[in-house]
Every structure is written in structure tokens, then in C-alpha cells.
Amino acid sequence: MFRRKSIVKLAEDECLREVQRILRERLSQKSVQTKVYGLDSQRRHLLDLMRRCVSMGESNSALVIGPRGSGKTMLLQSVLDEVKSDKIAKENLLQVNLNGLLQTDDRIALKEITRQLQLVNAKKTTRRQGLGSFAETLAFLLEALKSGDKTSQPILFVLDEFDLFAHHKNQTLLYNLFDISQSAQTPIAVIGLTCRLDVIELLEKRVKSRFSHRQIHIFNSLTFEEYKEVFVEILSLPKTFPERKFMQQWNQHVKELSEETMTVDVLQRLYHSDKNIRALKSFLLLPVCKLTPDHCQLESTDFLESSQYLTMDSKAAMLHGVSVLELCLIIAMKQLTILYDGDPVNFEMVYNEYQKFVQRKGHSIQCYEKPVVLKAFEHLQALELLKPADGGQRSQKEYRPMTLLVDATQINDALQKYPNCPTEVKQWNTQEVHA
């Protein structure tokens, strides 16, 4: 681990600020991790398909299917980076990106394709001739695509949220894209990204017949060692960093940090709950943002704090802010729920249970009038700690059946952390319930 003095000295030369800029940019949602782990066969398949399109003018189509966060975009970006590493291929390949959440119908999608292919000026010429409707724009685009041959510039169509395009009227866009990919015209590759396993069933018969039925299924199969490698890679500085000595010290510190017991424990908990890279980036954002001249290096405690922040129970946290009366009502409701085997209870039952508790404790617990208790009960409902069991508003509010939305563990945790919580209330919570 490097000495603190050297870090502070380098921070004065704005090295620390540059570190934050690099890491924040890397952790942003727009940044895509291009090094792929555990998806070698899928990557080879997609890379072979892309190379045949770019180098040999072979049209094709494929679907990349996997759950959210499994690395579909990362896989595609990694393949594109390798394909574009060839200068000729980079200059030759045209890319069109569409998203089912943005291009909600074929008309909008066609406009976006026209814009990205820079056919706007040509389209203006057609408008002077009286063209401009959806059908005419489609015909113009198809003519432009069909007028080429295998020597034309290859075009890559990336359809993110592919299943949403299947809901467009008549699936006209998909039909025409797949139709061109089956012909010996302009070489195009249509790559769909989706998380729906049954996406093929959404396609019409005529669209299915023109689709190549290539499906690349991916699942997040990262091992914990690979997960730690990604952790180190994200936090490490690039070799192009202006201060070489600082970069080496920082990277060495990150490696040592990844082997510390506390860091490993935190990473293991995160790995077992959600091992996708997007979640890891969200987890690392807080420690990176905390870097300052006074706190000039990452520590294991930063990762522990970030983990606690991300895994915080919102309901339990909300219980820390309610009044003692409201806590009493929640405990009374919990006791009644146990007594009646989980059946809903109403305000009158909760109020009677609360009165019994106050009478047992005498003057040590303040007794509130019924309207005040009802107001506190309604406040708990507004906080969504309770909800109506029937969903309706027909019965009087005092007799409306209600369900408790927090469990015993959350209540116990809130009572332990509640400031100046009366001992009688804690004891009441732990008492056994008898019919």
C-alpha cells in the first residue's frame, strides 16, 4: 500500500481529480465494459457472423437473448470493437441503432433509419416529387437498400428491445429487414437484443420464414474470481494516465484492496445477490465519489458503507421515523396477525389491543384518545406500512380490514435502532401471543 503523503502531493497536481473523472466516466451508464467473461462461444459465434457480413458481403440475422444485466450489449460492443479494429472495416461498416422503447412504431423507426444513414437530403429530393407518406418513405428506403450488391457498404441494424418491434402493426419493418437479409442485395446484418425467451412466437409467419432463426442465448456465468477481476479492472487506471508513478501505485493499491478480507466479504455478498456488471458499477459509484484530498484512497470501509446503503431495507428505515404511538400500533397489529394466523385486522381490534397494553403498564406509557390513535393509524396507511385487505372503501374506516406490510424482523430491527424507545414497548414486542 502506498504512503498517504505521496498521494496528497500528487492530488495537488490534480491527479486525484483526473482519477475521479476517469472512474466516473467508466462507471456511467453510457460506458460499456467491452472485455467479456464467460461468454467465449457466444462471442465467437457473433464475431464470425459480423466478419462474414463486413468482409464477404454476406447478409444475416440473429437474436441475442438473455436476462437483463447478463451482458448482451457488452457482448455486441466487444464484437464491434474487434471488427472495427480493422481500419478498412471501420470505414466501410454503417451502423443503425434502434430501440423499441424509443421507436414505438414503424414510421418513427423509418425516420431514424433515414437520419442515421444520412439519407435526409435524398429524401428531400423525393418530397419535391410528391413523396413523403409512410409507404413512399418505406419504398424509397427499400429501393436504396436493394439497389446495392455484395460490394456495397455493409449495414448493421441493432434492434434493442427487439420484442417491442414485434408489436408494431403488421411487423412491416421486421419483414422488410429480414427479407433484404435473405437476398443478394446490399449486405446487412440484423441483430436483435431481447430478454424474452419466447420472442420467436411473437413473429408473424411471413416474418418467421425470412428470419435465419439464429439465436445466441447468454446467461451470466461469471465465477467469483472473474468477478474480482472485473472489480480490479474497473478501478484500475489506464496506462495512458499522465503520471506513471501515481498510476502504478494506485493500481497496486487496488489489487491489494481486492484481497482484503472485508472487501472480499462485501464482494461475495454482492456476487451472490446480483452478479451482473451493471450492479457492480452502481456499487462502486459511492466509494469513487467519496475521493477527496482528505480521503485520497479507496478503503474497505467505503465498500462496506456502499453495500449497506444499497441493501438498505426501505420499510425498516421508514420505521425509524415513526412516533412511539405508531410503533405501538404496529406491534399491536403484528400480535393480532400472529393470533389470527395472518388474517386481516381492523382499527377497532388494534385499538383494543393497544388499550390493553396501556392499562397493563399504568402511567409509564401515555394513553392517547381514540381520534388521535385513528389519525396515527391513517398515517401508517399513508406511509404504506399498512394496506386495505379488500382494496375497497365501502366499509367504515374503523372496520376496514387491513394487512401489515412489515414483518417481525423489520420491527425488531427498528426497535433496536429507535432512539429512546421505551423499554415497555420493546418487552411487549417480544412477548408471546396467547389466544
Side-chain angles (χ1 to χ4, degrees):
M1 190 179 294
F2 51 89
R3 289 178 294 180
R4 192 180 185 88
K5 287 184 180 178
S6 62
I7 281 287
V8 173
K9 183 179 178 182
L10 288 166
E12 291 173 356
D13 296 327
E14 297 187 349
C15 281
L16 196 61
R17 191 179 299 173
E18 182 66 12
V19 169
Q20 269 212 334
R21 186 192 68 77
I22 291 170
L23 295 184
R24 283 186 177 187
E25 191 176 289
R26 198 178 286 169
L27 294 172
S28 69
Q29 292 298 326
K30 293 180 181 179
S31 172
V32 179
Q33 195 81 7
T34 55
K35 189 173 180 181
V36 177
Y37 293 87
L39 299 171
D40 295 336
S41 60
Q42 293 94 329
R43 189 178 185 280
R44 282 195 301 271
H45 188 171
L46 192 57
L47 181 61
D48 179 55
L49 187 148
M50 290 297 303
R51 277 181 171 162
R52 289 207 304 269
C53 178
V54 174
S55 305
M56 302 164 61
E58 181 182 315
S59 296
N60 230 314
S61 56
L63 287 178
V64 181
I65 303 173
R68 296 195 184 280
S70 59
K72 299 184 291 295
T73 305
M74 178 181 68
L75 177 68
L76 179 61
Q77 190 60 50
S78 171
V79 168
L80 284 174
D81 285 350
E82 183 166 343
V83 169
K84 290 179 179 179
S85 61
D86 181 356
K87 187 178 179 182
I88 297 174
K90 183 178 181 180
E91 293 174 354
N92 198 30
L93 181 65
L94 297 174
Q95 186 174 338
V96 177
N97 295 297
L98 302 176
N99 191 305
L101 295 170
L102 300 176
Q103 284 75 49
T104 52
D105 59 43
D106 285 349
R107 182 185 296 276
I108 300 172
L110 280 178
K111 285 183 179 179
E112 185 62 18
I113 293 171
T114 305
R115 186 189 68 80
Q116 292 190 35
L117 290 178
Q118 298 180 355
L119 297 173
V120 178
N121 293 332
K123 188 167 175 284
K124 284 178 181 176
T125 305
T126 63
R127 279 183 180 172
R128 293 193 198 107
Q129 300 168 3
L131 302 179
S133 68
F134 169 75
E136 289 162 346
T137 305
L138 178 61
F140 166 74
L141 181 63
L142 292 177
E143 185 182 350
L145 294 175
K146 290 178 180 180
S147 61
D149 54 29
K150 286 191 175 184
T151 61
S152 303
Q153 276 187 289
I155 305 174
L156 169 64
F157 287 89
V158 179
L159 307 183
D160 209 351
E161 303 291 347
F162 178 85
D163 51 290
L164 297 181
F165 286 95
H167 294 296
H168 291 187
K169 185 179 179 182
N170 299 328
Q171 299 181 358
T172 307
L173 179 67
L174 295 181
Y175 171 79
N176 285 289
L177 288 179
F178 288 152
D179 186 47
I180 295 170
S181 70
Q182 290 283 326
S183 59
Q185 295 156 353
T186 301
I188 73 167
V190 183
I191 307 296
L193 307 178
T194 180
C195 57
R196 286 195 61 165
L197 291 170
D198 63 341
V199 66
I200 297 295
E201 303 305 317
L202 300 176
L203 302 178
E204 296 177 1
K205 285 185 179 180
R206 63 180 190 137
V207 180
K208 277 186 190 178
S209 66
R210 283 158 177 78
F211 175 51
S212 67
H213 288 271
R214 279 189 177 84
Q215 298 179 51
I216 302 173
H217 291 269
I218 65 173
F219 299 95
N220 196 331
S221 55
L222 274 178
T223 63
F224 182 65
E225 289 304 316
E226 290 173 333
Y227 191 75
K228 281 206 302 182
E229 282 181 36
V230 177
F231 169 82
V232 172
E233 183 189 342
I234 290 174
L235 292 179
S236 296
L237 297 177
K239 292 181 180 179
T240 55
F241 193 78
E243 184 63 49
R244 184 174 178 80
K245 186 178 178 182
F246 180 89
M247 178 267 292
Q248 291 173 342
Q249 291 177 331
W250 177 275
N251 290 352
Q252 181 61 31
H253 171 63
V254 169
K255 283 183 182 177
E256 292 172 359
L257 195 61
S258 68
E259 299 300 329
E260 290 186 14
T261 306
M262 185 184 293
T263 306
V264 171
D265 290 343
V266 171
L267 286 176
Q268 278 184 330
R269 285 201 297 271
L270 185 64
Y271 172 80
H272 291 303
S273 64
D274 187 1
K275 57 184 178 182
N276 73 65
I277 307 300
R278 193 181 302 162
L280 178 61
K281 286 184 176 183
S282 299
F283 161 73
L284 293 175
L285 192 57
L286 181 62
V288 168
C289 289
K290 288 183 68 177
L291 288 172
T292 62
D294 297 325
H295 183 78
C296 51
Q297 60 183 5
L298 297 170
E299 302 288 351
S300 296
T301 50
D302 297 333
F303 301 126
L304 180 62
E305 183 184 343
S306 179
S307 174
Q308 290 171 343
Y309 178 78
L310 289 175
T311 57
M312 184 186 296
D313 188 336
S314 59
K315 294 289 185 187
M318 206 176 290
L319 284 174
H320 299 159
V322 300
S323 64
V324 175
L325 170 59
E326 289 166 341
L327 269 180
C328 289
L329 295 180
I330 287 173
I331 294 170
M333 196 163 182
K334 184 202 79 170
Q335 304 281 40
L336 289 169
T337 303
I338 294 171
L339 183 63
Y340 294 108
D341 296 326
D343 289 341
V345 296
N346 58 40
F347 168 74
E348 287 293 339
M349 297 165 69
V350 173
Y351 180 68
N352 290 337
E353 190 72 15
Y354 165 72
Q355 275 193 319
K356 289 178 188 176
F357 166 67
V358 173
Q359 289 168 3
R360 283 199 306 270
K361 297 303 176 183
H363 298 288
S364 59
I365 295 293
Q366 184 178 355
C367 182
Y368 293 92
E369 295 180 359
K370 191 172 182 179
V372 177
V373 179
L374 178 58
K375 199 71 177 174
F377 192 78
E378 290 174 340
H379 183 238
L380 290 176
Q381 185 180 345
L383 292 174
E384 296 184 356
L385 299 173
L386 318 174
K387 73 168 185 177
D390 57 358
Q393 305 290 329
R394 295 179 182 177
S395 55
Q396 293 181 14
K397 54 187 176 183
E398 292 90 345
Y399 299 99
R400 188 178 303 147
M402 306 291 288
T403 304
L404 186 62
L405 297 178
V406 289
D407 57 31
T409 307
Q410 292 170 314
I411 296 171
N412 294 339
D413 179 59
L415 288 172
Q416 291 300 321
K417 296 179 180 179
Y418 196 91
N420 303 321
C421 182
T423 307
E424 293 85 352
V425 176
K426 291 183 179 179
Q427 290 174 346
W428 183 33
N429 181 58
T430 56
Q431 285 179 1
E432 292 187 11
V433 182
H434 301 286

